[in-house]
């Protein structure tokens, strides 16, 4: 950890004394918050006893943040882990405060103003016949895992089943994914079983790179919005789910750290603190996309394979998952279905790899949309009255402008355009270029140059479905009659059909016809996708 770029300023300041400066203040203890046999997995009893005597503050950042983690794994860390931590905390005789880092999105898919309010024990986000009980959830997950192992399921099957089970349980109680569900249960456990332990909960929103400290732009890993930024910059994202008028709640990492420090000093027992920007300094989805587009237009990434700058396009935003699904079905699934049918012709089976490759890309995109749709359509605004009180305490307790600046976490001080264009994206490129280069979200485009559409035909949208069926039927009859030479160049036909569908899509979504057309479009897509190769080609 100490070798990371994050510590370069300290390293430069202390030079050869850096190691001693750190290790005189830091002692690393290996542990495991999910270990139920030993307190936090610390097996050395002498070390445990020493910690019970010396520890005065506990800051819990331990979590698995995978939205769709295996249910047993997420429960063990994000929920049961809190009980293990409390058992340890209750033995620390000098403990002043336990600060727990949660997430603002434990609120689920709530609209409007989200209060800084603790959950009631067993609370759910939608009506159910039973209250939420973390012990029952733990038993269900354990039983499910035991069944899978008794049936000698493969590790891949176990992983997939336990992930699906987590989503199922989260959705049952009203949460969109396993991560926020198990974090919410962790908060409930903290408040229910803390007894005399003084607790503070911080709920940050979407965390970005550092704003100022220790220097601007440092980032660890790719966050939700960073994956979208990277995909746009690489020219791999032309559409996504989102409403331009919604607020996207962002906060730089160093402001979250400052809020944690102030929470340790001034935080009140049992209090919830939202750390975000949606109330005081909102940034809208349309603005965020414009800033990203403007940056990569002025500072394009370089495609080393093609040896040319990557040209970015403005992202088309779809406000409903239904319209996005229609777009994907017509623009990508239907051309891929045609390509699959073409690849089934004996002398054109070379296109099977092209189909498989692009279908895999499309499935990756769909998984990504599914994963982040909750954030893309989130319509809540996070109250920060309690956090404002922390800022006021800093002003009263300090009076020193330098200290106030050092521990600032006021989102009002952020110029979003300047920060995103001049700090966050350059930092993302500098510190995470390898991740950006390896990132898998890719635009679905047909790899063969013969199938790549460069020109659009002006064909009326009302003809696309009959024309497609007629063309394929004629081809079917020709092949069934035993002709050895095709009437048309098959790749050329596929190109024409793809171009035609692109025009249809433009007509549907950019000339904005009346809404009653959408069910007909959906019906046409379903009909075409339901046609089998046997019907079309007699094979």
């Amino acid at each position: 950890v100490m070798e990371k770029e994050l510590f370069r300023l300290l390293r430069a300041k202390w030079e050869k004394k850096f190691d001693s400066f750190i290790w005189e203040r830091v002692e690393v203890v290996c542990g495991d918050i999910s270990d139920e046999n030993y307190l936090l997995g610390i097996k050395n009893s002498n070390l445990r006893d020493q910690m019970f005597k010396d520890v005065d503050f506990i800051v819990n950042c331990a979590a698995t943040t995978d939205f769709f983690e295996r249910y047993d794994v997420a429960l063990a860390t994000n929920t049961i882990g809190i009980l293990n931590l409390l058992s340890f905390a209750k033995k620390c005789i000098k403990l002043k405060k336990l600060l727990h880092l949660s997430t603002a999105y434990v609120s689920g898919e709530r609209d409007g103003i989200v209060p800084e309010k603790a959950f009631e024990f067993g609370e759910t986000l939608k009506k159910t016949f039973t209250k939420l009980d973390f012990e029952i959830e733990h038993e269900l997950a354990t039983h499910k895992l035991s069944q899978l192992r008794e049936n000698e399921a493969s590790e891949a099957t176990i992983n997939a089943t336990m992930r699906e089970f987590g989503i199922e349980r989260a959705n049952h109680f009203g949460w969109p994914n396993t991560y926020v569900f198990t974090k919410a249960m962790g908060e409930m456990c903290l408040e229910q079983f803390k007894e005399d332990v003084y607790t503070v909960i911080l709920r940050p929103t979407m965390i970005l790179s550092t704003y100022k400290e220790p220097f601007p732009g440092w980032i660890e890993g790719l966050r939700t919005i960073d994956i979208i930024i990277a995909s746009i910059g690489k020219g791999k994202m032309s559409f996504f789910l989102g409403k331009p008028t919604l607020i996207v709640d962002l906060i730089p990492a160093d402001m979250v750290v400052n809020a944690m420090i102030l929470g340790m000093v001034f935080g009140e027992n049992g209090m919830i603190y939202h750390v975000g920007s949606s109330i005081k300094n909102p940034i809208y989805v349309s603005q965020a996309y414009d800033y990203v587009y403007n940056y990569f237009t002025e500072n394009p990434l370089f495609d080393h394979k093609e040896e040319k700058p990557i040209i970015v396009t403005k992202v088309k935003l779809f406000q409903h998952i239904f319209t996005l699904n229609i777009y994907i079905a017509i623009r990508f699934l239907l051309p891929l279905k045609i390509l699959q049918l073409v690849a089934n012709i004996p002398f054109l089976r070379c296109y099977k790899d092209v189909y498989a490759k692009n279908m895999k890309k499309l499935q990756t995109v769909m998984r990504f949309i599914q994963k982040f749709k909750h954030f893309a359509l989130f319509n809540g605004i996070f109250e920060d009255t309690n956090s404002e009180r922390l800022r006021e305490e800093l002003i009263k307790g300090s009076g020193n402008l330098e200290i106030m600046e050092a521990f600032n976490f006021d989102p009002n001080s952020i110029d979003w355009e300047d920060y995103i264009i001049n700090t966050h994206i350059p930092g993302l490129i500098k510190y995470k270029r390898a991740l950006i280069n390896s990132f898998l979200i890719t635009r679905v485009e047909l790899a063969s140059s013969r199938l790549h559409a460069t020109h659009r035909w002006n064909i009326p949208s009302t003809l696309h479905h009959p024309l497609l069926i007629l063309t394929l039927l004629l081809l079917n009859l020709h092949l069934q009659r035993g002709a050895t030479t095709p009437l048309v160049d098959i790749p050329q036909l596929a190109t024409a059909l793809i171009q035609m569908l692109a025009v249809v899509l433009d007509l549907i979504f950019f000339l904005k016809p009346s809404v009653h057309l959408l069910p007909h479009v959906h019906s046409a897509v379903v009909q075409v996708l339901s046609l089998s190769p046997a019907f079309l080609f007699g094979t």
Side-chain angles (χ1 to χ4, degrees):
V1 172
M2 299 306 170
E3 297 301 316
K4 290 184 180 290
E5 177 75 5
L6 182 65
F7 294 95
R8 67 175 166 82
L9 295 183
L10 269 180
R11 202 176 293 112
K13 178 180 177 180
W14 290 92
E15 297 178 338
K16 293 180 181 179
K17 295 181 180 179
F18 174 73
D19 286 343
S20 60
F21 170 80
I22 293 294
W23 299 119
E24 284 171 9
R25 294 162 173 80
V26 176
E27 184 173 350
V28 177
V29 177
C30 292
D32 181 356
I33 197 172
S34 66
D35 192 329
E36 297 181 54
N37 298 317
Y38 297 90
L39 284 177
L40 303 188
I42 304 168
K43 298 179 181 180
N44 186 320
S45 59
N46 292 329
L47 178 58
R48 282 202 309 269
D49 291 342
Q50 190 63 44
M51 293 175 73
F52 294 152
K53 291 177 185 177
D54 294 343
V55 169
D56 53 1
F57 282 93
I58 295 174
V59 178
N60 179 37
C61 300
T64 174
T65 58
D66 185 339
F67 292 172
F68 304 109
E69 180 62 272
R70 278 176 45 162
Y71 196 32
D72 57 318
V73 174
L75 274 171
T77 302
N78 296 347
T79 306
I80 306 301
I82 301 302
L83 296 174
N84 299 335
L85 183 63
L86 279 173
S87 296
F88 181 91
K90 290 169 185 177
K91 295 179 182 295
C92 296
I93 57 178
K94 292 183 180 177
L95 185 68
K96 297 176 182 176
K97 200 171 293 186
L98 187 161
L99 185 140
H100 173 63
L101 191 66
S102 186
T103 170
Y105 295 98
V106 291
S107 61
E109 297 172 307
R110 190 177 301 177
D111 290 347
I113 295 178
V114 180
E116 292 171 298
K117 177 177 172 289
F119 286 105
E120 293 181 14
F121 192 65
E123 181 180 344
T124 62
L125 298 186
K126 74 177 185 183
K127 289 182 179 179
T128 57
F129 291 111
T130 57
K131 275 194 170 185
L132 173 60
D133 186 328
F134 78 93
E135 290 181 322
I136 292 176
E137 295 305 308
H138 190 216
E139 288 172 9
L140 288 171
T142 303
H143 179 66
K144 174 74 79 173
L145 186 60
S146 297
Q147 278 187 322
L148 289 165
R149 286 181 174 154
E150 283 173 12
N151 294 332
E152 298 182 348
S154 67
E155 200 59 32
T157 300
I158 290 173
N159 287 336
T161 304
M162 293 307 294
R163 283 178 183 272
E164 288 171 8
F165 190 51
I167 298 165
E168 177 190 318
R169 298 306 296 168
N171 293 166
H172 175 71
F173 290 107
W175 278 270
N177 59 58
T178 310
Y179 167 60
V180 294
F181 177 45
T182 52
K183 288 292 282 185
M185 285 193 286
E187 285 194 16
M188 293 178 197
C189 288
L190 186 66
E191 287 303 302
Q192 180 71 12
F193 301 108
K194 69 178 187 178
E195 296 176 2
D196 295 330
V197 177
Y198 195 115
T199 62
V200 172
I201 296 176
L202 246 71
R203 293 176 180 169
T205 56
M206 280 189 266
I207 302 174
L208 300 185
S209 61
T210 52
Y211 180 57
K212 286 188 177 179
E213 296 293 338
F215 49 83
W218 183 83
I219 189 169
E220 177 82 357
L222 284 179
R223 305 292 178 180
T224 308
I225 195 170
D226 299 325
I227 296 172
I228 296 173
I229 291 172
S231 299
I232 293 171
K234 292 186 72 177
K236 306 297 185 182
M237 183 175 284
S238 59
F239 65 91
F240 201 64
L241 190 63
K243 296 182 180 180
T245 55
L246 291 182
I247 293 170
V248 53
D249 200 314
L250 309 173
I251 194 75
D254 50 334
M255 288 194 172
V256 176
V257 172
N258 289 344
M260 291 169 68
I261 294 170
L262 293 178
M264 291 168 66
V265 177
F266 301 115
E268 298 177 33
N269 189 19
M271 199 67 77
I272 306 288
Y273 296 92
H274 282 154
V275 185
S277 59
S278 52
I279 284 277
K280 287 198 162 45
N281 187 12
I283 174 173
Y284 293 91
V285 168
S286 58
Q287 291 177 300
Y289 276 105
D290 284 345
Y291 299 155
V292 174
Y293 173 77
N294 292 341
Y295 176 86
F296 286 114
T297 300
E298 294 295 322
N299 309 276
L301 297 177
F302 194 79
D303 187 331
H304 293 283
K305 280 187 179 180
E306 299 291 331
E307 296 186 346
K308 63 182 181 181
I310 297 171
I311 298 173
V312 297
T313 58
K314 284 212 168 188
V315 175
K316 303 176 185 73
L317 288 177
F318 293 87
Q319 300 188 34
H320 304 283
I321 194 74
F322 172 72
T323 52
L324 177 59
N325 285 339
I326 291 177
Y327 177 91
I328 290 170
I330 296 176
R331 193 75 169 88
F332 301 115
L333 278 176
L334 187 51
L336 282 171
K337 186 69 177 179
I338 295 167
L339 182 61
Q340 184 187 30
L341 299 176
V342 167
N344 281 329
I345 300 170
F347 55 87
L348 289 171
R349 284 183 180 157
C350 58
Y351 288 108
K352 277 192 173 182
D353 288 342
V354 177
Y355 165 78
K357 177 183 174 183
N358 285 283
M359 180 55 78
K360 184 178 179 180
K361 289 179 180 179
L362 181 59
Q363 289 168 346
T364 303
V365 173
M366 292 303 297
R367 281 195 300 271
F368 179 72
I369 291 170
Q370 181 66 26
K371 188 172 184 177
F372 295 122
K373 69 178 182 181
H374 163 60
F375 295 98
L377 298 176
F378 185 78
N379 196 23
I381 296 173
F382 295 103
E383 178 195 11
D384 71 343
T385 305
N386 295 340
S387 290
E388 182 60 27
R389 220 175 280 140
L390 277 185
R391 288 188 278 266
E392 290 170 359
E393 288 290 342
L394 173 63
I395 295 170
K396 284 193 294 185
S398 167
N400 183 314
L401 288 177
E402 190 174 334
I403 293 177
M404 287 165 57
E405 180 66 20
F407 293 100
N408 171 48
F409 74 103
D410 185 356
N412 271 327
S413 61
I414 304 170
D415 178 330
W416 286 117
E417 183 174 11
D418 177 69
Y419 167 70
I420 290 174
I421 290 177
N422 297 318
T423 298
H424 182 65
I425 301 179
L428 183 64
I429 293 168
K430 179 177 180 180
Y431 297 110
K432 293 298 157 191
R433 182 175 286 276
L435 277 176
I436 291 172
N437 288 341
S438 65
F439 190 61
L440 294 176
I441 292 295
T442 51
R443 179 181 56 194
V444 178
E445 55 185 0
L446 300 177
S448 169
S449 60
R450 299 182 73 188
L451 291 175
H452 185 66
T454 55
H455 175 70
R456 292 183 173 181
W457 293 1
N458 186 23
I459 298 176
S461 61
T462 52
L463 294 179
H464 85 279
H465 186 55
L467 182 58
L468 171 63
I469 299 302
L470 179 62
T471 304
L472 292 175
L473 282 174
L474 286 172
L475 179 61
N476 170 50
L477 291 172
H478 177 65
L479 292 175
Q480 281 186 338
R481 285 172 184 163
T484 55
T485 306
L487 286 171
V488 294
D489 184 290
I490 301 296
Q492 210 170 44
L493 170 64
T495 300
L497 293 171
I498 291 166
Q499 293 167 347
M500 179 174 63
L501 291 169
V503 173
V504 173
L505 189 69
D506 288 344
L507 287 170
I508 292 171
F509 290 102
F510 300 111
L511 295 181
K512 297 181 180 177
S514 57
V515 177
H516 76 269
L517 177 62
L518 293 179
H520 299 292
V521 175
H522 183 259
S523 175
V525 171
V526 170
Q527 287 180 55
V528 173
L529 294 182
S530 67
L531 294 175
S532 67
F535 171 76
L536 291 171
F537 292 106
T539 58

